[in-house]
Amino acid sequence: CTWCRRLEQESFTDPAVAARLAELVCVSIDVEAPENVAIARRYGVAPLPTMLFLDGEGALVDVLVGYLGPEALLAELERVLRGEGTVPALRRRVREEPERLEPRFALVRKLSTTRQPDAAAQLAELQRLDGEGRGYDPDSVEDRWRLVQAWRTLRDEAAAGRHLEAIRRLDPEGRSLA
């Protein structure tokens, strides 16, 4: 694709990016080639370009989707190599703080990007906690507004709408920023 070629020509050739990539085992595949369809399907590769970071067992560590210029790509590589915001780090945060919704939203977004098998289960748990009013202050317009935004990132307008209705009940005069 055009963006894949641009990524290869502009970002991968940057000396700082190339130095960090040299620390990894990098494989480029044409996901449209018949021999690569299964791997593309396994990791939910779409749209292009998609960069997957896998561990030695083939489990997803992180994913970057879309074109990133050299500076942005280098920053993301540094983050992934530090283990910040990666799937294992987000899973650990969810285990450590099972009632907090923010880490679970981040995990669901990351898993959904590549259609990972447990994305649906994580989403269902997120919906359950939210439905029970756990993980946030139900009387806080600010908490409700954060949830509206988070649900919209998952394209769940029904869930976002429930929190908007709650904001309208909590702030009938519309004085809050939300």
Side-chain angles (χ1 to χ4, degrees):
C1 73
T2 302
W3 290 110
C4 299
R5 284 190 295 282
R6 187 169 173 198
L7 186 66
E8 290 171 359
Q9 294 168 355
E10 296 175 10
S11 300
F12 292 162
T13 59
D14 179 83
V17 170
R20 291 306 272 173
L21 288 174
E23 299 172 29
L24 305 171
V25 176
C26 300
V27 178
S28 178
I29 66 167
D30 176 358
V31 296
E32 294 174 348
E35 65 272 15
N36 297 326
V37 170
I39 195 165
R41 191 173 298 129
R42 174 181 176 187
Y43 293 107
V45 175
L48 298 176
T50 295
M51 287 174 271
L52 299 172
F53 296 84
L54 309 174
D55 67 15
E57 309 294 315
L60 181 69
V61 172
D62 212 318
V63 60
L64 302 176
V65 177
Y67 170 80
L68 294 171
E71 288 181 19
L73 179 55
L74 183 60
E76 285 297 298
L77 286 170
E78 297 290 348
R79 178 191 60 76
V80 171
L81 292 170
R82 283 191 309 269
E84 295 174 5
T86 62
V87 171
L90 292 170
R91 286 187 193 283
R92 190 170 37 260
R93 282 189 62 204
V94 166
R95 276 193 312 274
E96 292 169 355
E97 306 171 272
E99 295 285 318
R100 288 205 51 232
L101 298 185
E102 182 268 326
R104 200 172 294 274
F105 270 108
L107 179 60
V108 168
R109 277 192 299 273
K110 188 90 53 173
L111 295 175
S112 298
T113 300
T114 56
R115 292 179 252 144
Q116 294 298 296
D118 65 330
Q122 290 291 342
L123 177 60
E125 181 62 9
L126 181 58
Q127 291 167 330
R128 184 185 70 76
L129 291 168
D130 182 29
E132 293 174 359
R134 292 168 49 194
Y136 64 97
D137 179 356
D139 296 324
S140 166
V141 170
E142 292 78 16
D143 279 8
R144 294 282 191 162
W145 181 242
R146 279 191 288 277
L147 286 168
V148 168
Q149 294 169 316
W151 281 115
R152 284 182 171 165
T153 66
L154 294 178
R155 295 190 174 101
D156 188 335
E157 286 301 319
R162 286 191 301 276
H163 289 287
L164 281 173
E165 284 302 315
I167 290 170
R168 288 185 188 103
R169 285 191 304 275
L170 291 167
D171 182 19
E173 290 85 31
R175 293 182 188 194
S176 67
L177 183 58

